[in-house]
């Protein structure tokens, strides 16, 4: 039935070998705070779990938060995720680190793993054994001062069935099962569900069950005259129908006999050890000597005296910092403020009779000080006045720890001096100012305008050998003036490595100042470098005729570019129909930034036609692009329509117009009609922050993006792990990126790849190609003759492309590939666990895109079709598309 949570000791009968326990003997009930709970969770890495990893991760993190409540307070947490060959474990951590547990519990489910059903028949006994060993460590370290209780929670997301062997093992450790003698209890909680969404409710039931089990568990201690050997203890609930419970007691290691008086005084002078005396904190303390039973600070126990991070024998991290006066002496943590053998510093022992260490100083019982083993009154002793060894001058007594020299003076070496001005005792006794001019305010100083050079104070304001600073010597035709070497003649400066005096008003190598050379074509005039020719300016380190220079037309750096020429200081386009606007020749009849005239841009979404801004279709065909769990379509008018997963707004399309679009893992990028790139969605490593400049094509990956600029050069941004965002130089037609690598088709038809080379996916085939598609760990490309070449990972046959036929488009996905033949039919190959290769068998198609676990295509009527995984609605095409 339900546990009894308010049981009193008077309701029970205790019989030891048939004799009543309690009359004339000690018998008492222990508080419930002796229980210490340790929870281990096993998650079976089944295929069902793989599909719902995010849900499981969130439920496990919520479960840790449930343990933070009153019912689970003080529990410790462990987590084991069985991911096929990649088992992961988060070992027992104290609930004080619950936020760390929550964080790490989520991280255990991240990454790309091969999930497969675990062998619970071996995993459960192994976890029980590991948990049992940990509980025994707790039991031993606390000298039985706590009752450690283990809980093993087995999560199996299958059809709800376990093997007979596993069920038998779980039944042996079922909740409320018999506790083995001298062994901490472990209870198992099987959570057998068919859907991870049921996990949160199951966890709530487990937490409630642990709390109820705790409230229905009791610990009793008693003392018996027959103690010393083996006995059977029978506990019965008086007046109840429940059966009695029998415990086998073995006390052969104890002395015979026990008295109530001894039992009552067993915890005197002890802090821990045994149920009667309590336990220590598992994470910061350890139960010490068995006779003393003190809870010791673990940092002292491990001799970790100063600030450092250590790990206890139970695996808990502990920051040790025992205080500013604690340090290591003789392999012990010593407080120098109070230790008599190490008073103030290691090895400084207090040797006078009965002297002790007080605040780092050896003090005698009468309050006097220990000076060399002798108790001395520092207030009056002339040989130790105010401090051990401080001798007063002859004829001066020690009064209140001071040798009263008078006039603010101090006794040094038995002589009265002023340490503020005395050059032999400057600041403190014995500090002599050798080579300095004076002692001022207790500091050795040189007089104003003098520095300490060559072991003495020198005047560096007019010293020719030390001018301004030590060792700075002036030349023969120079002199030191106010700390700087100056030339004798006016209009000259000391220039060059040799510091010679030069007329900087007319010298072409030092014009106006030292080192300012005019160079060829310029002359120094009144300290300024002037170009020799008319209409010439100093531009880009050269004298340039700005009336005719194409690079500096009218002014420095005013370039006319490749399509214009400079005439009379003005850029004129070589093609008379073009206008020179913002540094380039443009056709103002169609340029959206300069429509009709320079500096007249078209509003977003409009194009320039015959010098007038207007809205019109920018695409001849619809385009479809697939990501990991979302899909986007580019319409005729350049608007983007997206559907599927939207937790990072990747399916929430912006108000913008595009001519080309690419869907990444959780973000998208597109090229606008003005050739600028715009991105939206998740922004890891600035992968969704498009750079400035003009592009003709862009491709979005997982956390990096690449594009082909208008000059056919490649440009990448975002994460550069494995150099995947470090493209080669050259001219290219198309680029594609995915998880951790990139590829591009060059203008000569060859393919170049870069980034992670697992499965040789960055080793493309030779040949001439016109289009490529980059998948998760493989790639496919369409050759100029219409054939298809694929390379990279082939664990699912994703690179086994058709060897015959002529094709017009190809797409590489997660672990599958698809292509459109010239008869407009679709062929797919590779993994089909989500139906991603079950392409339509009828219809005519013209373009295709393969996503992570699904595929989409556009037919000749510009309708969109998708098939495969649809867990986020990525394959459910909106009506009208």
């Amino acid at each position: 039935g339900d546990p009894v949570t308010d049981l009193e000791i008077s309701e029970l009968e205790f019989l030891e070998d048939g004799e009543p326990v309690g009359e004339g003997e000690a018998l008492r009930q222990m508080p419930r705070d002796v229980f210490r709970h340790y929870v281990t969770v096993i998650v079976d890495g089944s295929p069902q779990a793989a599909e719902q990893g995010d849900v499981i991760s969130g439920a496990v993190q919520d479960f840790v938060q449930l343990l933070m409540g009153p019912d689970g307070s003080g529990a410790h947490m462990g987590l084991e995720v069985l991911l096929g060959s990649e088992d992961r474990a988060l070992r027992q951590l104290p609930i004080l680190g619950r936020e760390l547990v929550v964080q790490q519990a989520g991280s255990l489910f991240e990454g790309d793993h091969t999930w497969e059903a675990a062998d619970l028949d071996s995993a459960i006994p192994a976890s029980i054994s590991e948990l049992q060993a940990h509980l025994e460590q707790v039991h031993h370290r606390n000298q039985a001062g706590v009752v450690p209780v283990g809980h093993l929670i087995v999560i199996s997301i299958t059809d709800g069935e376990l093997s007979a062997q596993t069920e038998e093992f779980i039944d042996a450790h079922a909740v409320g099962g018999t506790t083995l003698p001298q062994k901490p209890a472990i209870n198992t909680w099987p959570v057998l569900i068919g859907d991870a969404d049921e996990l949160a409710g199951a966890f709530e039931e487990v937490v409630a069950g642990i709390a109820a089990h705790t409230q229905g568990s009791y610990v009793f201690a008693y003392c018996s005259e027959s103690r010393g050997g083996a006995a059977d203890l029978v506990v019965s609930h008086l007046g109840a129908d429940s059966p009695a419970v029998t415990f086998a007691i073995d006390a052969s290691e104890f002395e015979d006999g026990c008295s109530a008086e001894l039992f009552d005084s067993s915890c005197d002078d002890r802090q821990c050890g045994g149920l009667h005396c309590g336990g220590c904190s598992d994470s910061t303390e350890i139960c010490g000597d068995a006779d003393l039973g003190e809870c010791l600070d673990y940092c002292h126990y491990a001799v970790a005296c100063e600030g450092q991070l250590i790990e206890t024998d139970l695996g808990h991290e502990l920051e040790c910092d025992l205080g500013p006066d604690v340090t290591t002496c003789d392999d012990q943590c010593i407080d120098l403020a109070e230790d008599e053998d190490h008073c103030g510093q290691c090895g400084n022992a207090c040797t006078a009779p009965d002297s002790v260490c007080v605040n780092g100083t050896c003090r005698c019982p009468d309050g006097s000080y220990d000076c060399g083993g002798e108790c001395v009154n520092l207030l009056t002793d002339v040989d130790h006045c105010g401090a051990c060894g401080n001798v007063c001058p002859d004829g001066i007594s020690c009064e209140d720890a001071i040798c009263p020299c008078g006039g603010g003076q101090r006794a040094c070496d038995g002589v009265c001096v002023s340490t503020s001005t005395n050059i032999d005792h400057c600041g403190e006794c014995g500090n002599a100012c050798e080579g300095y001019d004076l002692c001022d305010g207790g500091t050795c100083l040189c007089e104003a305008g003098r520095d300490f050079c060559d072991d003495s104070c020198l005047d560096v304001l007019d010293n020719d050998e030390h001018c301004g600073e030590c060792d700075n010597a002036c030349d023969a035709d120079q002199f030191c003036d106010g700390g700087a070497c100056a030339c004798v003649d006016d209009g000259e400066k000391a220039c060059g490595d040799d510091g010679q005096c030069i007329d900087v008003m007319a010298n072409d190598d030092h014009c106006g100042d030292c080192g300012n050379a005019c160079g060829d074509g310029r002359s120094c005039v009144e300290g300024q470098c002037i170009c020799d020719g008319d209409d010439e300016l100093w531009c880009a380190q050269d004298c340039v005729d700005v009336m005719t220079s194409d690079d500096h037309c009218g002014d420095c750096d005013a370039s006319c570019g490749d399509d214009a020429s400079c005439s009379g200081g003005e850029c004129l386009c070589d093609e008379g129909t073009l206008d020179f606007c913002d540094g380039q020749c443009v056709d103002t009849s169609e340029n959206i930034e300069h429509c009709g005239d320079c500096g007249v841009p078209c509003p977003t979404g409009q194009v320039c036609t015959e010098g007038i801004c207007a809205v019109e279709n920018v695409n001849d065909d619809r385009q479809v692009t697939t990501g990991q769990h979302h899909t986007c379509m580019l319409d005729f008018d350049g608007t983007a329509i997206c559907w599927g997963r939207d937790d990072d707004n990747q399916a929430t399309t912006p108000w913008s117009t595009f001519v080309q679009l690419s869907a990444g893992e959780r973000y998208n990028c597109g090229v606008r009609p003005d050739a600028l790139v715009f991105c939206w969605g998740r922004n890891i490593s600035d992968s969704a922050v498009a750079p400035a400049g003009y592009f003709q094509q862009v491709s979005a990956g997982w956390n990096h993006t690449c594009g082909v600029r208008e000059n056919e050069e490649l440009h990448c941004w975002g994460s550069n792990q494995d150099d995947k965002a470090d493209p080669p130089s050259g001219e290219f037609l198309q680029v594609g990126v995915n998880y951790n690598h990139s590829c591009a088709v060059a203008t000569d038809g060859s393919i170049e790849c870069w980034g992670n080379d697992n499965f040789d996916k960055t080793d493309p085939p030779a040949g001439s190609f016109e289009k490529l598609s980059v998948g998760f760990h493989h790639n496919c490309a369409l050759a100029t003759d219409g054939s298809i070449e694929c390379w990279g990972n082939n664990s699912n046959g994703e690179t086994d492309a058709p060897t015959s036929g002529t094709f017009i488009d190809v797409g590489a996905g997660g672990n599958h590939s698809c292509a459109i033949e010239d008869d407009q039919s679709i062929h797919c190959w590779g993994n089909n666990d989500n139906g991603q290769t079950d392409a339509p068998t009828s219809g005519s198609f013209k373009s295709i895109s393969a996503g992570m676990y699904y595929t989409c295509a556009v037919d000749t009527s510009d309708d969109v079709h998708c098939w495969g995984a649809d867990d986020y609605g990525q394959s459910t095409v909106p009506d009208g598309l």
Side-chain angles (χ1 to χ4, degrees), residues 652-677:
T652 303
T653 53
W655 190 91
S656 189
T657 302
F658 301 94
V659 296
Q660 186 259 328
L661 194 64
S662 175
E665 186 248 353
R666 292 193 192 179
Y667 73 105
N668 314 290
C669 291
V671 179
R672 303 190 322 188
D674 58 6
L676 298 178
V677 172

PDB file of all heavy atoms in Angstrom, residues 652-677:
ATOM      1  N   THR A 652      10.688  32.855 -41.296  1.00  0.00           N
ATOM      2  CA  THR A 652       9.983  34.147 -41.302  1.00  0.00           C
ATOM      3  C   THR A 652      10.691  35.059 -42.301  1.00  0.00           C
ATOM      4  O   THR A 652      11.739  35.622 -42.014  1.00  0.00           O
ATOM      5  CB  THR A 652       9.995  34.771 -39.900  1.00  0.00           C
ATOM      6  OG1 THR A 652       9.412  33.858 -38.965  1.00  0.00           O
ATOM      7  CG2 THR A 652       9.220  36.074 -39.888  1.00  0.00           C
ATOM      8  N   THR A 653      10.136  35.143 -43.492  1.00  0.00           N
ATOM      9  CA  THR A 653      10.853  35.817 -44.580  1.00  0.00           C
ATOM     10  C   THR A 653      10.793  37.333 -44.432  1.00  0.00           C
ATOM     11  O   THR A 653       9.786  37.887 -44.002  1.00  0.00           O
ATOM     12  CB  THR A 653      10.285  35.407 -45.941  1.00  0.00           C
ATOM     13  OG1 THR A 653       8.869  35.626 -45.918  1.00  0.00           O
ATOM     14  CG2 THR A 653      10.546  33.953 -46.211  1.00  0.00           C
ATOM     15  N   PRO A 654      11.876  37.998 -44.811  1.00  0.00           N
ATOM     16  CA  PRO A 654      11.908  39.461 -44.717  1.00  0.00           C
ATOM     17  C   PRO A 654      11.212  40.103 -45.924  1.00  0.00           C
ATOM     18  O   PRO A 654      10.950  39.448 -46.927  1.00  0.00           O
ATOM     19  CB  PRO A 654      13.409  39.767 -44.740  1.00  0.00           C
ATOM     20  CG  PRO A 654      13.978  38.669 -45.589  1.00  0.00           C
ATOM     21  CD  PRO A 654      13.150  37.448 -45.292  1.00  0.00           C
ATOM     22  N   TRP A 655      10.913  41.390 -45.790  1.00  0.00           N
ATOM     23  CA  TRP A 655      10.361  42.122 -46.926  1.00  0.00           C
ATOM     24  C   TRP A 655      11.537  42.580 -47.785  1.00  0.00           C
ATOM     25  O   TRP A 655      12.187  43.568 -47.502  1.00  0.00           O
ATOM     26  CB  TRP A 655       9.551  43.323 -46.462  1.00  0.00           C
ATOM     27  CG  TRP A 655       8.789  43.952 -47.585  1.00  0.00           C
ATOM     28  CD1 TRP A 655       7.525  43.671 -47.981  1.00  0.00           C
ATOM     29  CD2 TRP A 655       9.270  44.977 -48.471  1.00  0.00           C
ATOM     30  NE1 TRP A 655       7.165  44.434 -49.047  1.00  0.00           N
ATOM     31  CE2 TRP A 655       8.224  45.268 -49.387  1.00  0.00           C
ATOM     32  CE3 TRP A 655      10.461  45.670 -48.603  1.00  0.00           C
ATOM     33  CZ2 TRP A 655       8.349  46.211 -50.392  1.00  0.00           C
ATOM     34  CZ3 TRP A 655      10.587  46.610 -49.613  1.00  0.00           C
ATOM     35  CH2 TRP A 655       9.535  46.877 -50.499  1.00  0.00           C
ATOM     36  N   SER A 656      11.816  41.814 -48.810  1.00  0.00           N
ATOM     37  CA  SER A 656      12.933  42.138 -49.688  1.00  0.00           C
ATOM     38  C   SER A 656      12.736  41.393 -50.990  1.00  0.00           C
ATOM     39  O   SER A 656      11.876  40.504 -51.109  1.00  0.00           O
ATOM     40  CB  SER A 656      14.263  41.751 -49.031  1.00  0.00           C
ATOM     41  OG  SER A 656      15.344  42.249 -49.785  1.00  0.00           O
ATOM     42  N   THR A 657      13.508  41.747 -51.984  1.00  0.00           N
ATOM     43  CA  THR A 657      13.434  41.124 -53.303  1.00  0.00           C
ATOM     44  C   THR A 657      14.773  40.462 -53.606  1.00  0.00           C
ATOM     45  O   THR A 657      15.826  41.042 -53.341  1.00  0.00           O
ATOM     46  CB  THR A 657      13.115  42.179 -54.381  1.00  0.00           C
ATOM     47  OG1 THR A 657      11.883  42.811 -54.050  1.00  0.00           O
ATOM     48  CG2 THR A 657      12.995  41.541 -55.746  1.00  0.00           C
ATOM     49  N   PHE A 658      14.714  39.231 -54.170  1.00  0.00           N
ATOM     50  CA  PHE A 658      15.933  38.480 -54.441  1.00  0.00           C
ATOM     51  C   PHE A 658      15.909  37.950 -55.865  1.00  0.00           C
ATOM     52  O   PHE A 658      14.836  37.692 -56.444  1.00  0.00           O
ATOM     53  CB  PHE A 658      16.083  37.304 -53.471  1.00  0.00           C
ATOM     54  CG  PHE A 658      16.129  37.701 -52.022  1.00  0.00           C
ATOM     55  CD1 PHE A 658      14.979  37.713 -51.256  1.00  0.00           C
ATOM     56  CD2 PHE A 658      17.332  38.073 -51.435  1.00  0.00           C
ATOM     57  CE1 PHE A 658      15.017  38.081 -49.922  1.00  0.00           C
ATOM     58  CE2 PHE A 658      17.378  38.448 -50.104  1.00  0.00           C
ATOM     59  CZ  PHE A 658      16.205  38.457 -49.349  1.00  0.00           C
ATOM     60  N   VAL A 659      17.108  37.752 -56.413  1.00  0.00           N
ATOM     61  CA  VAL A 659      17.252  37.086 -57.710  1.00  0.00           C
ATOM     62  C   VAL A 659      17.844  35.695 -57.547  1.00  0.00           C
ATOM     63  O   VAL A 659      17.837  34.904 -58.482  1.00  0.00           O
ATOM     64  CB  VAL A 659      18.122  37.926 -58.666  1.00  0.00           C
ATOM     65  CG1 VAL A 659      17.445  39.250 -58.968  1.00  0.00           C
ATOM     66  CG2 VAL A 659      19.506  38.173 -58.082  1.00  0.00           C
ATOM     67  N   GLN A 660      18.376  35.400 -56.364  1.00  0.00           N
ATOM     68  CA  GLN A 660      18.915  34.063 -56.073  1.00  0.00           C
ATOM     69  C   GLN A 660      18.865  33.864 -54.571  1.00  0.00           C
ATOM     70  O   GLN A 660      19.058  34.810 -53.796  1.00  0.00           O
ATOM     71  CB  GLN A 660      20.351  33.925 -56.591  1.00  0.00           C
ATOM     72  CG  GLN A 660      20.938  32.517 -56.445  1.00  0.00           C
ATOM     73  CD  GLN A 660      21.876  32.388 -55.244  1.00  0.00           C
ATOM     74  OE1 GLN A 660      22.550  33.331 -54.874  1.00  0.00           O
ATOM     75  NE2 GLN A 660      21.904  31.215 -54.631  1.00  0.00           N
ATOM     76  N   LEU A 661      18.565  32.629 -54.133  1.00  0.00           N
ATOM     77  CA  LEU A 661      18.329  32.353 -52.705  1.00  0.00           C
ATOM     78  C   LEU A 661      18.968  31.025 -52.334  1.00  0.00           C
ATOM     79  O   LEU A 661      19.018  30.090 -53.138  1.00  0.00           O
ATOM     80  CB  LEU A 661      16.820  32.305 -52.433  1.00  0.00           C
ATOM     81  CG  LEU A 661      16.354  32.360 -50.990  1.00  0.00           C
ATOM     82  CD1 LEU A 661      16.735  33.698 -50.361  1.00  0.00           C
ATOM     83  CD2 LEU A 661      14.839  32.182 -50.919  1.00  0.00           C
ATOM     84  N   SER A 662      19.483  30.944 -51.084  1.00  0.00           N
ATOM     85  CA  SER A 662      20.087  29.697 -50.579  1.00  0.00           C
ATOM     86  C   SER A 662      19.677  29.505 -49.127  1.00  0.00           C
ATOM     87  O   SER A 662      19.823  30.409 -48.303  1.00  0.00           O
ATOM     88  CB  SER A 662      21.620  29.750 -50.685  1.00  0.00           C
ATOM     89  OG  SER A 662      22.199  28.604 -50.092  1.00  0.00           O
ATOM     90  N   ALA A 663      19.126  28.300 -48.817  1.00  0.00           N
ATOM     91  CA  ALA A 663      18.730  27.962 -47.445  1.00  0.00           C
ATOM     92  C   ALA A 663      19.859  27.190 -46.777  1.00  0.00           C
ATOM     93  O   ALA A 663      20.341  26.193 -47.314  1.00  0.00           O
ATOM     94  CB  ALA A 663      17.447  27.133 -47.430  1.00  0.00           C
ATOM     95  N   GLY A 664      20.301  27.658 -45.586  1.00  0.00           N
ATOM     96  CA  GLY A 664      21.323  26.962 -44.815  1.00  0.00           C
ATOM     97  C   GLY A 664      20.709  26.098 -43.731  1.00  0.00           C
ATOM     98  O   GLY A 664      19.517  25.741 -43.783  1.00  0.00           O
ATOM     99  N   GLU A 665      21.516  25.775 -42.712  1.00  0.00           N
ATOM    100  CA  GLU A 665      21.028  24.893 -41.635  1.00  0.00           C
ATOM    101  C   GLU A 665      19.870  25.525 -40.880  1.00  0.00           C
ATOM    102  O   GLU A 665      18.811  24.965 -40.740  1.00  0.00           O
ATOM    103  CB  GLU A 665      22.180  24.571 -40.694  1.00  0.00           C
ATOM    104  CG  GLU A 665      21.809  23.551 -39.624  1.00  0.00           C
ATOM    105  CD  GLU A 665      21.781  24.143 -38.220  1.00  0.00           C
ATOM    106  OE1 GLU A 665      22.167  25.309 -38.036  1.00  0.00           O
ATOM    107  OE2 GLU A 665      21.338  23.424 -37.308  1.00  0.00           O
ATOM    108  N   ARG A 666      20.054  26.754 -40.351  1.00  0.00           N
ATOM    109  CA  ARG A 666      18.951  27.465 -39.694  1.00  0.00           C
ATOM    110  C   ARG A 666      18.965  28.944 -40.095  1.00  0.00           C
ATOM    111  O   ARG A 666      18.579  29.808 -39.318  1.00  0.00           O
ATOM    112  CB  ARG A 666      19.047  27.341 -38.166  1.00  0.00           C
ATOM    113  CG  ARG A 666      18.791  25.942 -37.638  1.00  0.00           C
ATOM    114  CD  ARG A 666      18.594  25.946 -36.129  1.00  0.00           C
ATOM    115  NE  ARG A 666      18.625  24.618 -35.570  1.00  0.00           N
ATOM    116  CZ  ARG A 666      18.497  24.330 -34.270  1.00  0.00           C
ATOM    117  NH1 ARG A 666      18.322  25.300 -33.407  1.00  0.00           N
ATOM    118  NH2 ARG A 666      18.542  23.093 -33.845  1.00  0.00           N
ATOM    119  N   TYR A 667      19.437  29.251 -41.264  1.00  0.00           N
ATOM    120  CA  TYR A 667      19.411  30.620 -41.747  1.00  0.00           C
ATOM    121  C   TYR A 667      19.419  30.599 -43.269  1.00  0.00           C
ATOM    122  O   TYR A 667      19.569  29.545 -43.894  1.00  0.00           O
ATOM    123  CB  TYR A 667      20.599  31.420 -41.196  1.00  0.00           C
ATOM    124  CG  TYR A 667      21.946  31.071 -41.811  1.00  0.00           C
ATOM    125  CD1 TYR A 667      22.559  31.906 -42.733  1.00  0.00           C
ATOM    126  CD2 TYR A 667      22.595  29.896 -41.456  1.00  0.00           C
ATOM    127  CE1 TYR A 667      23.780  31.583 -43.285  1.00  0.00           C
ATOM    128  CE2 TYR A 667      23.821  29.578 -42.001  1.00  0.00           C
ATOM    129  CZ  TYR A 667      24.412  30.422 -42.917  1.00  0.00           C
ATOM    130  OH  TYR A 667      25.623  30.103 -43.452  1.00  0.00           O
ATOM    131  N   ASN A 668      19.198  31.761 -43.900  1.00  0.00           N
ATOM    132  CA  ASN A 668      19.138  31.870 -45.345  1.00  0.00           C
ATOM    133  C   ASN A 668      19.900  33.114 -45.787  1.00  0.00           C
ATOM    134  O   ASN A 668      20.026  34.089 -45.038  1.00  0.00           O
ATOM    135  CB  ASN A 668      17.689  31.986 -45.835  1.00  0.00           C
ATOM    136  CG  ASN A 668      16.761  30.980 -45.166  1.00  0.00           C
ATOM    137  OD1 ASN A 668      16.853  29.801 -45.414  1.00  0.00           O
ATOM    138  ND2 ASN A 668      15.880  31.467 -44.306  1.00  0.00           N
ATOM    139  N   CYS A 669      20.393  33.079 -47.009  1.00  0.00           N
ATOM    140  CA  CYS A 669      21.009  34.250 -47.621  1.00  0.00           C
ATOM    141  C   CYS A 669      20.540  34.341 -49.061  1.00  0.00           C
ATOM    142  O   CYS A 669      20.324  33.310 -49.720  1.00  0.00           O
ATOM    143  CB  CYS A 669      22.542  34.165 -47.578  1.00  0.00           C
ATOM    144  SG  CYS A 669      23.245  34.320 -45.934  1.00  0.00           S
ATOM    145  N   GLY A 670      20.367  35.577 -49.545  1.00  0.00           N
ATOM    146  CA  GLY A 670      19.940  35.769 -50.919  1.00  0.00           C
ATOM    147  C   GLY A 670      20.622  36.963 -51.555  1.00  0.00           C
ATOM    148  O   GLY A 670      21.075  37.884 -50.870  1.00  0.00           O
ATOM    149  N   VAL A 671      20.698  36.942 -52.883  1.00  0.00           N
ATOM    150  CA  VAL A 671      21.256  38.057 -53.644  1.00  0.00           C
ATOM    151  C   VAL A 671      20.095  38.919 -54.143  1.00  0.00           C
ATOM    152  O   VAL A 671      19.183  38.418 -54.810  1.00  0.00           O
ATOM    153  CB  VAL A 671      22.096  37.556 -54.829  1.00  0.00           C
ATOM    154  CG1 VAL A 671      22.655  38.737 -55.619  1.00  0.00           C
ATOM    155  CG2 VAL A 671      23.230  36.664 -54.331  1.00  0.00           C
ATOM    156  N   ARG A 672      20.113  40.194 -53.794  1.00  0.00           N
ATOM    157  CA  ARG A 672      19.073  41.114 -54.212  1.00  0.00           C
ATOM    158  C   ARG A 672      19.328  41.598 -55.650  1.00  0.00           C
ATOM    159  O   ARG A 672      20.422  41.410 -56.193  1.00  0.00           O
ATOM    160  CB  ARG A 672      19.026  42.318 -53.269  1.00  0.00           C
ATOM    161  CG  ARG A 672      18.799  41.918 -51.825  1.00  0.00           C
ATOM    162  CD  ARG A 672      18.509  43.097 -50.934  1.00  0.00           C
ATOM    163  NE  ARG A 672      19.286  44.285 -51.254  1.00  0.00           N
ATOM    164  CZ  ARG A 672      19.300  45.380 -50.511  1.00  0.00           C
ATOM    165  NH1 ARG A 672      18.574  45.416 -49.405  1.00  0.00           N
ATOM    166  NH2 ARG A 672      20.019  46.420 -50.846  1.00  0.00           N
ATOM    167  N   PRO A 673      18.332  42.237 -56.270  1.00  0.00           N
ATOM    168  CA  PRO A 673      18.549  42.755 -57.632  1.00  0.00           C
ATOM    169  C   PRO A 673      19.683  43.764 -57.712  1.00  0.00           C
ATOM    170  O   PRO A 673      20.285  43.928 -58.775  1.00  0.00           O
ATOM    171  CB  PRO A 673      17.199  43.406 -57.967  1.00  0.00           C
ATOM    172  CG  PRO A 673      16.205  42.656 -57.140  1.00  0.00           C
ATOM    173  CD  PRO A 673      16.911  42.344 -55.860  1.00  0.00           C
ATOM    174  N   ASP A 674      19.986  44.445 -56.577  1.00  0.00           N
ATOM    175  CA  ASP A 674      21.096  45.392 -56.598  1.00  0.00           C
ATOM    176  C   ASP A 674      22.440  44.704 -56.364  1.00  0.00           C
ATOM    177  O   ASP A 674      23.451  45.370 -56.153  1.00  0.00           O
ATOM    178  CB  ASP A 674      20.881  46.483 -55.557  1.00  0.00           C
ATOM    179  CG  ASP A 674      20.738  45.928 -54.147  1.00  0.00           C
ATOM    180  OD1 ASP A 674      20.913  44.696 -53.963  1.00  0.00           O
ATOM    181  OD2 ASP A 674      20.443  46.716 -53.237  1.00  0.00           O
ATOM    182  N   ALA A 675      22.447  43.358 -56.382  1.00  0.00           N
ATOM    183  CA  ALA A 675      23.657  42.530 -56.236  1.00  0.00           C
ATOM    184  C   ALA A 675      24.205  42.522 -54.811  1.00  0.00           C
ATOM    185  O   ALA A 675      25.282  41.984 -54.575  1.00  0.00           O
ATOM    186  CB  ALA A 675      24.745  42.950 -57.221  1.00  0.00           C
ATOM    187  N   LEU A 676      23.483  43.099 -53.859  1.00  0.00           N
ATOM    188  CA  LEU A 676      23.891  43.017 -52.457  1.00  0.00           C
ATOM    189  C   LEU A 676      23.301  41.762 -51.835  1.00  0.00           C
ATOM    190  O   LEU A 676      22.230  41.284 -52.236  1.00  0.00           O
ATOM    191  CB  LEU A 676      23.424  44.257 -51.674  1.00  0.00           C
ATOM    192  CG  LEU A 676      23.989  45.598 -52.146  1.00  0.00           C
ATOM    193  CD1 LEU A 676      23.402  46.728 -51.311  1.00  0.00           C
ATOM    194  CD2 LEU A 676      25.508  45.602 -52.038  1.00  0.00           C
ATOM    195  N   VAL A 677      23.974  41.215 -50.819  1.00  0.00           N
ATOM    196  CA  VAL A 677      23.532  39.990 -50.138  1.00  0.00           C
ATOM    197  C   VAL A 677      22.829  40.357 -48.839  1.00  0.00           C
ATOM    198  O   VAL A 677      23.295  41.221 -48.089  1.00  0.00           O
ATOM    199  CB  VAL A 677      24.726  39.057 -49.862  1.00  0.00           C
ATOM    200  CG1 VAL A 677      24.294  37.886 -48.983  1.00  0.00           C
ATOM    201  CG2 VAL A 677      25.291  38.528 -51.171  1.00  0.00           C
TER     202      VAL A 677
END
